[in-house]
Amino acid sequence: MEIDFKEYQLRCQLHGHEDDVRGICVCGNEGIATSSRDKTVRFWSLDDSDKRKYVSSKILLGHSSFVGPLAWISPDEEFPEGGIVSGGMDTMVFVWDLRTGEKVQSLKGHKLQVSGIALDNGDIISSSVDSTLKRWRNGQPVESWEAHQSAIQAVIRLPSGELVSGSTDATLKLWRGKTCVHTFVGHTDTVRGLAVMPGLGVLSASHDGSIRLWAQSGEVLMEMVGHTSIVYAVDSHVSGLIVSGSEDRFAKIWKDGVCVQSIEHPGCVWDAKFLENGDIVTACSDGVIRIWTVDVGNIADPVELEAYASLLSQYKLSRKTVGGLKLEDLPGLEALQNPGTSDGQTKIVREGDNGVAYSWNMREHKWDKIGEVVDGPDDSMTRSVLDGVQYDHVFDVDIGDGEPIRKLPYNRSDNPYDTADKWLLKENLPLSYRQQIVEFILQNTGQKDFNIDPTFRDPFTGSSAYVPGQPSYASATSAKPTFKHIPKRGMLVFDAAQFDGILKKISEFNNTLLSDSEKKDLAMTELEVSRLGAIVKILKDTSHYHSSSFADVDISLLLKLLKSWPIAMIFPVIDILRMIALHPDGASILLRHVEVNDVLMEMIVKVTTDPVLPANLLTSIRAITNLFKNSSYHGWLQKHRSEILDAFSNCLASPNKNLQLAFSTMILNYTVLLTEKKDEEGQAHVLSAALEIAEQENLEVDSRFRALVAIGSLMLEGRVKKIAMDFDVQNIAKVAKGSKEAKIAEIGADIELLTKQS
């Protein structure tokens, strides 16, 4: 069947974002809004000098991490030039007035990343990775409900008034108010994007690589398959066309369920939307927005078209490998001017866009052409090499029991049982390990549904499974991939203190109070000053922490100063409390005070309320971090996790490197605690904060490292790993792996290995 269709061509490219463009919002005829990993929202208006193009007319600054979903508020009395609603990784929903470019509402309530936004008759509906949908009216939350058991990735409003949500649980849900009237089941992985198909139903894009069209009854009207990776976005046009964007770098255009065009990009296509006139807008991981058109009069000029074609060519060349080497790293033909050193020596050189192999002919003293070297189109196709032989996989296997790490080669065409048997014999390991090795191979190659070939016979018993007299799993230690830095075990503390400097500062502040007639009543008495000196003397003597003790009045004195002294004077007092937390008896007495009157939460509220002073933030975060060392505080830390992380969340954006390190250390300690407690909700919250830290630029190495260790450790838990994958953790791992800092590269490799495990 012939389909009537005009091909889309490049109309223009919008440059301005400094990182991945994550979201697109078509703002009527007013313009286009885009969101980015660079923490900004940009508004683009038609260029008066060239109607084919758009120019950036507003930059909306306020999010502290990457921005995702957007919605357009049409011009009205409140927003004469329209408004934008944005949601971010920072858990916030912001409403912006386009006339001024300023935030007019900050909607705080979600615990994790905001993943979707829809407008419903003046109300704002937001979805989040925290599994909830929230309804906001006039800047206030009016409804909130747990809509799925897993993270929600998208929400839309249908013309009939119902809401539809899509989730990591692979389902869509249709909502009337807070009532789920239908669950759509069919996708086999996360539902990432949703759109309305006028007059027909709902479109969904999924990590399973497909796009589906559903009737409101839940019936699948159409399934579109063609992408080779995660599909992030889908949209429709009144003409009946559908567009989708994918990790595979293509925006695909569909008509009547058939892919009629694939538009290649130099990176992942995060979002794709139709303009009213049928043009298509795409958001790419290279930080560029592109508009595509079928209108001959709006197509970009030949120079720009040629430049884009060249960009694609260069991008593919940078990723293409031949013989396990990057094409761009191969020498040119000039390398053949140098003679070989032995007969039959081979050399691969670059000829145009290909790698060509030559062999040295010693007799004729020349290079003979062998032929073109064929390899995968990108890094994912590069094969591993062990002892000079190429394999699909070469795994590090940790048998345990003090045994060294072994290399296990495997080709996907091999029978895993056969491979396991031969490998165990070669490595002189017990054949009782066989089932564990097979399970390890199947898990790490994604061959979950492997079926044993009925013709296969064990080379030792003649049966189809090796039986050493008992079930193979009874005596074997599970083989597992090895990680350099995860999981993290044990708590980190800040145990260094300049006690003389702390006492000097407190004495200085005390003298200031004594000299102020209005505040001298707040100053310590001579007896209290002496008592404070005695407290510090005990804290200095770390060798006797097991036997030294404090009186209740000692802790009461510190808490009195914390409560009564001016806000700018309390940081050295908090610093002493930080060290008290590491003293067994001191921590025990402090806990009794906390149980009667929660002085620690009072302290947190005090130091995070205006005026917020860096010294107070630093000492208080360090103090809370030290509490993790004492298991008696674990219940309190778990109970107040949400309040503590929310209170200190602004530290993420601080340029103060000491603050960054303190916050990331607290996050790492929370990772250890909540993993031990199997607190999945808490783990997801901590993961969100750790990812936000890892996204920061100009981050001190240790801060970044601790955040990455937290991410990797949390990803060892199944549900949390799935959330991390939805957060694009693969990109974070890739960037870390490319770091010049050895430990950052190592933890990046750990996380990358985790992402490849099924």
Side-chain angles (χ1 to χ4, degrees), residues 41 332 456 508 728:
V41 176
F456 173 72
E508 178 187 312
D728 187 30

Side-chain angles (χ1 to χ4, degrees), residues 15 42 544 586:
H15 297 269
R42 284 180 180 256
H544 289 88

Side-chain angles (χ1 to χ4, degrees), residues 280-571:
I280 292 170
V281 188
T282 56
C284 185
S285 60
D286 68 349
V288 180
I289 304 104
R290 294 178 176 88
I291 303 180
W292 309 84
T293 187
V294 294
D295 184 346
V296 176
N298 276 337
I299 294 172
D301 59 51
V303 174
E304 188 167 4
L305 292 175
E306 188 177 331
Y308 183 65
S310 176
L311 176 68
L312 282 179
S313 178
Q314 288 300 316
Y315 179 81
K316 286 187 285 187
L317 282 179
S318 71
R319 294 169 63 84
K320 186 174 180 180
T321 60
V322 289
L325 300 170
K326 279 193 172 183
L327 181 64
E328 62 181 4
D329 293 339
L330 293 179
L333 285 167
E334 67 277 2
L336 300 179
Q337 295 172 6
N338 300 320
T341 55
S342 61
D343 195 48
Q345 177 191 352
T346 58
K347 182 175 286 190
I348 302 174
V349 298
R350 177 175 170 178
E351 292 185 20
D353 292 350
N354 299 303
V356 179
Y358 285 81
S359 174
W360 179 246
N361 185 328
M362 185 69 83
R363 184 176 178 181
E364 299 183 20
H365 207 70
K366 68 170 187 171
W367 290 99
D368 291 334
K369 186 172 183 177
I370 300 173
E372 186 178 321
V373 180
V374 179
D375 203 354
D378 55 41
D379 298 342
S380 65
M381 298 295 290
T382 303
R383 303 185 79 215
S384 302
V385 177
L386 180 65
D387 299 329
V389 180
Q390 286 192 334
Y391 296 93
D392 291 335
H393 305 276
V394 175
F395 299 112
D396 286 334
V397 180
D398 178 9
I399 297 297
D401 300 330
E403 293 282 343
I405 302 301
R406 316 292 179 104
K407 296 288 184 182
L408 168 61
Y410 178 73
N411 287 316
R412 293 182 68 86
S413 58
D414 294 343
N415 185 301
Y417 287 89
D418 196 15
T419 298
D421 290 332
K422 290 176 180 176
W423 183 76
L424 289 169
L425 284 172
K426 175 179 175 288
E427 296 290 337
N428 197 27
L429 291 168
L431 289 168
S432 58
Y433 282 17
R434 180 190 200 228
Q435 188 61 31
Q436 276 60 47
I437 296 300
V438 170
E439 289 172 2
F440 171 75
I441 290 171
L442 296 180
Q443 178 186 4
N444 288 283
T445 57
Q447 296 174 279
K448 299 179 190 173
D449 304 319
F450 175 82
N451 293 312
I452 299 175
D453 181 350
T455 65
F456 173 72
R457 289 291 176 266
D458 187 276
F460 309 102
T461 67
S463 65
S464 59
Y466 179 77
V467 184
Q470 59 178 334
S472 61
Y473 53 81
S475 60
T477 303
S478 176
K480 57 186 184 295
T482 56
F483 301 107
K484 187 92 172 177
H485 297 290
I486 56 175
K488 174 71 179 78
R489 304 194 190 283
M491 303 297 183
L492 298 178
V493 295
F494 293 97
D495 55 4
Q498 299 293 328
F499 286 112
D500 293 341
I502 293 171
L503 279 179
K504 183 179 179 182
K505 182 58 69 174
I506 289 177
S507 176
E508 178 187 312
F509 286 157
N510 198 57
N511 290 334
T512 300
L513 292 172
L514 284 170
S515 62
D516 187 330
S517 58
E518 294 181 5
K519 296 179 180 177
K520 63 181 181 181
D521 291 342
L522 300 177
M524 289 186 289
T525 63
E526 286 187 19
L527 182 60
E528 287 173 331
V529 170
S530 174
R531 190 66 249 168
L532 189 67
I535 292 170
V536 168
K537 185 177 181 181
I538 294 171
L539 291 174
K540 277 184 174 182
D541 187 9
T542 55
S543 62
H544 289 88
Y545 269 26
H546 63 287
S547 58
S548 59
S549 61
F550 291 95
D552 188 83
V553 291
D554 294 336
I555 308 303
S556 295
L557 170 61
L558 294 170
L559 296 178
K560 171 192 165 186
L561 299 179
L562 183 64
K563 189 170 185 177
S564 63
W565 271 22
I567 189 75
M569 295 183 174
I570 61 173
F571 67 86

Side-chain angles (χ1 to χ4, degrees), residues 58 121 142 241 251 304 381 564 600 617 627 671 677:
K58 289 274 190 329
N121 295 324
V142 292
L241 290 180
E304 188 167 4
M381 298 295 290
S564 63
L600 292 177
L617 284 179
L627 295 177
T671 295
K677 299 289 186 182

Side-chain angles (χ1 to χ4, degrees), residues 39 94 103 130 143 146 148 166 207 257 260 287 297 348 377 403 405 444 505 629 677 680 691 734:
K39 308 176 191 175
F94 291 145
K103 263 187 302 184
D130 66 15
E143 281 184 331
E146 186 172 332
H148 291 261
H207 283 203
V260 290
I348 302 174
E403 293 282 343
I405 302 301
N444 288 283
K505 182 58 69 174
K629 192 71 174 175
K677 299 289 186 182
E680 284 195 346
L691 287 165
K734 183 180 178 182

